[in-house]
Amino acid sequence: MSLPLFVQIRCTPGTTYKVADAIALREIHSELYSTSGAFDLLVKIYVPEGEDIGMYLNEHLMGIEGIERTLTTQTFKVF
């Protein structure tokens, strides 16, 4: 079983809804939230077992227009 990644996304001003729609259309996420603070969106992603995390994110997420910056947190254990 793969553990989730949490990716915080900062969008170019005025593009948050377009970025969220693009993520939703790709169906790569488990959950997607708008957030306050330094980042605009929080997405929970389960990367398929055996996949390279960096390559997976680059191929499926980072090419979305309007993403300005990301912060990815990898999880290791469920309590």
Side-chain angles (χ1 to χ4, degrees), residues 27-45:
E27 298 182 357
I28 60 168
H29 66 291
S30 168
E31 298 170 49
L32 176 61
Y33 300 96
S34 60
T35 59
S36 64
F39 292 87
D40 303 300
L41 298 170
L42 174 67
V43 61
K44 181 179 179 182
I45 298 174

Side-chain angles (χ1 to χ4, degrees), residues 3-65:
L3 294 173
L5 297 176
F6 293 89
V7 182
Q8 295 180 74
I9 300 170
R10 182 179 302 145
C11 301
T12 304
T15 65
T16 301
Y17 285 93
K18 289 179 184 176
V19 171
D21 288 343
I23 293 169
L25 288 172
R26 292 179 184 215
E27 298 182 357
I28 60 168
H29 66 291
S30 168
E31 298 170 49
L32 176 61
Y33 300 96
S34 60
T35 59
S36 64
F39 292 87
D40 303 300
L41 298 170
L42 174 67
V43 61
K44 181 179 179 182
I45 298 174
Y46 288 91
V47 175
E49 294 229 15
E51 291 273 349
D52 179 281
I53 292 170
M55 291 291 286
Y56 186 87
L57 292 177
N58 279 329
E59 291 175 1
H60 295 92
L61 185 66
M62 300 309 175
I64 296 174
E65 188 175 338

